[in-house]
Amino acid sequence: MKCHTCESEARAICKFCGRAVCKEHAKTGDYYSGFGQKLKEHLWPSGSNTGVIVKDAIWCGECNVEFQRTY
């Protein structure tokens, strides 16, 4: 597989968009996964652990990552 940016051999896949990247063009970012309720009224009184965070996930640096607020 080739790097999306420079066509050299890819070393990783962007966790956010799936583009292949070489070691030189690979960046890292925090990847949040999970789910939450859209309305505060649906919250459990004690809260819940419904999401995870992956620190230093591979990122191509080109895709735009937007977070959506959940409760």
Side-chain angles (χ1 to χ4, degrees), residues 45-65:
S46 61
S48 65
N49 295 325
T50 58
V52 297
I53 180 172
V54 178
K55 297 283 187 180
D56 297 327
I58 295 294
W59 177 45
C60 69
E62 291 187 39
C63 61
N64 294 317
V65 180

Side-chain angles (χ1 to χ4, degrees), residues 29-52:
D30 293 345
Y31 178 76
Y32 298 90
S33 180
F35 63 93
Q37 298 292 332
K38 294 300 292 174
L39 301 173
K40 287 185 179 180
E41 294 82 39
H42 297 316
L43 283 176
W44 294 37
S46 61
S48 65
N49 295 325
T50 58
V52 297

